[in-house]
């Protein structure tokens, strides 16, 4: 048999199998999509945002995915075009003309990636500056304390309504920089809550302690650690930030939806990292104030130690101290 005849016979089984493979792939794609909610498709699998800031993060992700898809389509198209129109012919075996030092093409594949990266960098830097901007006077300040293997929450609030109490910042909050201490509410004697890996939310049964937040009011999180690096992540906030010993991070959110949401540590912090879970319960401002009074009635007044205290140079390194 001739070589050409041998090639034809070897390709026939593949041609017979091709419709079967395509049919199986179509069935698999259709079956896997039966339970998918197509209304969630624009979010690209991300949860529904529940804060005023989260849609900005979602928009950044959507733009990044759109840019990646456009780049992928362009690259795949060029690959397929080359495969189809520049494949080797069975009748012509000579080497095709070779092109060297095509400056327009070389400039194109050098400049195009730079443009793509520059555009992504611009939008990322713009949104990051907005998301990390801190207001002069947040409605609420909560010190989130990470420790192996759970979380504690210091509610820096004037619970009793007396401006004379809590006039001095206690030593338990020594890890908080001075400029943020000056923004604490007047008379903030505070209450606290904390958890262990075995703690559970009484309503949902989800593991971990529960952080309460008021709907529609801006909350500042001041993140401190007692031991190693953790990461504070509330899933539907679409944002997380590291909790670093000896360094304090902060960001603000305004919850827009009541409910109980899941949070977790997003930084591998040791053997029981997977147990560092918590819950976030968003309620009305009136219910939030009632919860603070309930903590006070249980004797949980004051604060738990916030973490490793910073040195003066580290704590006051930021410019424009208030």
């Amino acid at each position: 048999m001739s070589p050409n005849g041998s090639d034809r016979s070897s390709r026939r089984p593949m041609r017979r199998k091709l419709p079967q493979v395509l049919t199986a792939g179509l069935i698999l794609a259709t079956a896997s999509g039966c339970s998918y909610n197509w209304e969630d498709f624009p979010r690209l699998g991300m949860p529904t945002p529940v804060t005023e800031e989260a849609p900005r993060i979602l928009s950044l992700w959507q733009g990044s995915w759109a840019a990646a898809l456009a780049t992928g389509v362009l690259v795949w198209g060029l690959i397929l075009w080359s495969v189809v129109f520049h494949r080797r012919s069975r009748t012509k075996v000579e080497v095709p003309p070779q092109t060297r030092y095509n400056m327009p093409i070389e400039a194109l594949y050098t400049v195009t990636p730079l443009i793509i990266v520059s555009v992504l960098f611009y939008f990322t830097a713009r949104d990051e500056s907005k998301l990390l901007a801190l207001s002069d006077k947040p409605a609420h300040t909560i010190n989130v304390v990470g420790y192996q293997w759970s979380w504690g929450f210091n509610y820096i609030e004037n619970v009793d309504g007396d401006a004379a109490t809590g006039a001095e910042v206690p030593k338990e909050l020594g890890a908080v920089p001075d400029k943020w201490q000056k923004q604490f509410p007047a008379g903030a004697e505070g209450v606290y809550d904390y958890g262990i890996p075995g703690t559970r939310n009484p309503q949902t049964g989800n593991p971990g302690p529960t952080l309460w937040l008021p709907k529609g009011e801006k909350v500042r999180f001041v993140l401190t650690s007692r031991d190693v690096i953790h990461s504070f992540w509330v899933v539907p906030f679409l944002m997380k930030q590291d909790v670093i010993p000896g360094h304090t991070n902060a960001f603000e959110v305004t919850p827009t939806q009541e409910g109980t949401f899941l949070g977790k540590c997003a930084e591998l912090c040791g053997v029981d990292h997977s147990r560092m879970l918590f819950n976030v319960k968003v309620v009305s401002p009136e219910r939030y104030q009632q919860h603070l009074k309930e903590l006070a009635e249980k004797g949980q007044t004051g604060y738990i130690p916030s973490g490793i205290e910073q040195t003066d140079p580290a704590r006051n390194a930021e410019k424009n101290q208030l």
Side-chain angles (χ1 to χ4, degrees):
M1 182 178 291
S2 65
N4 291 339
S6 175
D7 291 342
R8 293 193 190 97
S9 61
S10 63
R11 286 196 293 269
R12 284 170 186 165
M14 290 300 298
R15 290 177 178 175
R16 295 193 191 102
K17 293 179 181 179
L18 183 59
Q20 301 174 5
V21 173
L22 293 177
T23 303
L26 180 61
I27 293 173
L28 179 61
T30 305
S32 63
C34 289
S35 61
Y36 186 80
N37 186 358
W38 289 102
E39 295 179 356
D40 297 336
F41 181 75
R43 296 201 309 273
L44 305 173
M46 301 186 74
T48 303
V50 298
T51 68
E52 291 183 0
E53 295 77 14
R56 178 181 291 273
I57 303 174
L58 178 60
S59 176
L60 180 62
W61 274 104
Q62 290 170 324
S64 300
W65 275 94
L69 180 61
T71 304
V73 169
L74 174 62
V75 173
W76 298 331
L78 291 174
I79 292 174
L80 293 176
W81 180 75
S82 300
V83 169
V84 173
F85 295 102
H86 295 280
R87 67 188 186 278
R88 181 179 178 181
S89 173
R90 286 177 293 184
T91 59
K92 297 180 180 180
V93 295
E94 69 273 8
V95 177
Q98 303 297 301
T99 301
R100 303 177 62 187
Y101 305 114
N102 189 312
M103 293 306 296
I105 292 179
E106 292 185 17
L108 177 66
Y109 66 61
T110 301
V111 173
T112 301
L114 292 176
I115 295 175
I116 295 173
V117 172
S118 299
V119 172
L120 292 174
F121 176 82
Y122 166 76
F123 286 106
T124 301
R126 182 199 66 180
D127 291 344
E128 182 182 15
S129 63
K130 292 288 187 181
L131 293 167
L132 296 181
L134 300 179
S135 58
D136 294 334
K137 206 70 174 177
H140 306 278
T141 300
I142 300 176
N143 172 215
V144 177
V145 184
Y147 52 87
Q148 298 171 320
W149 309 101
S150 194
W151 301 87
F153 310 113
N154 287 322
Y155 298 90
I156 306 173
E157 302 273 6
N158 183 7
V159 180
D160 61 5
D162 186 359
T165 60
E168 296 183 0
V169 177
K171 63 180 181 180
E172 286 82 4
L173 299 180
V176 180
D178 293 346
K179 68 172 185 177
W180 294 334
Q181 291 183 6
K182 296 175 181 178
Q183 295 176 336
F184 289 169
E189 73 281 355
V191 290
Y192 67 88
D193 200 1
Y194 66 95
I196 59 174
T199 304
R200 300 233 168 220
N201 181 281
Q203 285 79 35
T204 63
N206 294 330
T210 301
L211 170 65
W212 288 58
L213 300 177
K215 176 184 175 182
E217 297 183 357
K218 188 175 291 294
V219 179
R220 175 181 295 175
F221 298 115
V222 179
L223 311 176
T224 57
S225 171
R226 291 186 188 174
D227 35 54
V228 299
I229 297 178
H230 303 283
S231 186
F232 179 71
W233 181 25
V234 184
V235 178
F237 286 8
L238 308 186
M239 181 174 177
K240 56 187 175 183
Q241 198 169 45
D242 283 348
V243 185
I244 304 174
H247 176 80
T248 306
N249 285 326
F251 69 97
E252 297 177 353
V253 300
T254 304
T256 58
Q257 180 178 326
E258 294 189 16
T260 301
F261 310 103
L262 300 179
K264 59 184 70 177
C265 176
E267 185 79 27
L268 181 59
C269 55
V271 64
D272 280 337
H273 159 71
S274 61
R275 304 181 69 189
M276 281 199 64
L277 307 174
F278 63 97
N279 306 277
V280 173
K281 187 177 181 67
V282 180
V283 296
S284 65
E286 296 76 18
R287 182 66 184 92
Y288 173 76
Q289 294 296 332
Q290 182 182 346
H291 176 68
L292 298 181
K293 294 178 180 178
E294 291 171 354
L295 292 176
E297 291 172 356
K298 290 194 297 184
Q300 295 175 212
T301 56
Y303 307 103
I304 61 174
S306 57
I308 299 174
E309 187 170 355
Q310 298 175 325
T311 62
D312 288 338
R315 184 162 60 202
N316 300 306
E318 299 88 350
K319 297 180 180 179
N320 302 322
Q321 293 291 316
L322 299 179

